[in-house]
Amino acid sequence: HREAFRKVPVVSAAISLVQHDVAKLPWRVWYEGRTGKRRELKREDGNLADLLTGANPRQSGYQLRVDTIGSLYTGGNAYRALAYFPGAPTPAEAWCLPAHNWRVIPGANRGVVRYEYNRGGAWEEVREENVVHFPDYNPDDEPIGMSRLEPLRRDYEAQFYALIWLKEYFRKGGVVAGVWSVKTGGPKLSPADLLKIAEMLNAKHQGYDKVWNAVVVQGPSGPQVIMLQG
């Protein structure tokens, strides 16, 4: 899916547009106090509003949202890793790490046993409370999301294997299908004549297992068209 983002211009352009459109949306943090009233959480050092605005030393909150949406659209999942300072009860940094480096170990009832992250080729366990997982919709009963590029990948794979089949077809003796026609005003052929011509073409036609059989199509005004159909 990352290759589709790199190599298919319309995919890259569409996802980039959505990334920045979502990141530019105004956002606010709300909470309910003991009175049950909904209040806005103003940014203060160490609170959630501060974390979502500052994100981490290398990114702003805007860039964190761009990465999150990009990861969600390409991989079907986005993972934010939370980093704590020693002794601090709340996270100090939030990082959106590449989704393809994460591994989710499923448990019972669509739960998650643990998360693992591939760091330099070695899988390291990450505590569940240190991961904020954003899964996209998945038609299967799995705790991970399905990439929105999955249908595109399958379509490109189908085209790729079709070209491989075509290459092998010609390599093993296949020939290009042709179109045969007669001039307007020619004699109208009877069904028996059409069948005879088709049988002759099928007998002479060369190709790998003769996968393209000949058919005869006759127009209503008289001219006949004989074509090889795949």
Side-chain angles (χ1 to χ4, degrees):
H1 302 132
R2 291 177 292 133
E3 292 301 313
F5 187 88
R6 290 191 181 102
K7 298 177 180 179
V8 184
V10 66
V11 169
S12 177
I15 291 180
S16 296
L17 181 64
V18 175
Q19 283 179 280
H20 291 277
D21 281 350
V22 173
K24 287 185 290 188
L25 290 174
W27 61 275
R28 301 163 73 180
V29 179
W30 298 84
Y31 74 101
E32 288 187 3
R34 294 181 178 179
T35 60
K37 293 183 178 180
R38 186 166 173 262
R39 298 180 181 180
E40 182 178 359
L41 181 66
K42 300 298 182 179
R43 182 181 181 183
E44 297 178 0
D45 289 345
N47 68 5
L48 180 59
D50 181 56
L51 177 66
L52 296 178
T53 302
N56 58 69
R58 297 183 181 178
Q59 291 180 308
S60 64
Y62 179 92
Q63 293 169 313
L64 181 68
R65 292 192 291 276
V66 168
D67 285 4
T68 302
I69 297 300
S71 182
L72 187 64
Y73 269 61
T74 55
N77 298 271
Y79 302 88
R80 287 183 180 178
L82 304 178
Y84 292 77
F85 289 150
T90 57
E93 299 174 1
W95 300 80
C96 183
L97 301 180
H100 63 275
N101 284 340
W102 286 91
R103 186 163 64 187
V104 179
I105 310 301
N109 299 322
R110 302 185 76 253
V112 176
V113 175
R114 66 180 182 275
Y115 290 93
E116 295 179 350
Y117 187 74
N118 191 328
R119 194 181 305 277
W123 289 97
E124 299 179 358
E125 182 175 350
V126 182
R127 293 190 301 175
E128 187 174 356
E129 58 268 26
N130 288 1
V131 181
V132 181
H133 181 193
F134 300 87
D136 211 339
Y137 171 71
N138 191 333
D140 299 321
D141 188 25
E142 297 180 5
I144 57 175
M146 187 188 81
S147 171
R148 303 188 185 193
L149 298 184
E150 183 68 20
L152 178 69
R153 181 181 69 85
R154 293 180 180 272
D155 181 59
Y156 271 69
E157 283 183 348
Q159 295 182 36
F160 172 77
Y161 288 118
L163 291 175
I164 294 297
W165 182 91
L166 195 60
K167 183 193 74 171
E168 291 299 308
Y169 170 76
F170 289 118
R171 188 178 69 83
K172 294 179 179 179
V175 296
V176 178
V179 177
W180 298 34
S181 65
V182 298
K183 295 181 180 180
T184 302
K188 186 174 181 178
L189 299 179
S190 66
D193 293 332
L194 298 177
L195 182 60
K196 185 177 180 180
I197 295 174
E199 290 175 349
M200 180 269 294
L201 289 175
N202 289 334
K204 294 185 176 181
H205 178 57
Q206 297 180 2
Y208 185 64
D209 291 337
K210 298 184 177 180
V211 292
W212 288 349
N213 291 328
V215 296
V216 180
V217 178
Q218 179 169 289
S221 61
Q224 298 85 28
V225 178
I226 304 173
M227 57 184 294
L228 301 182
Q229 174 173 286

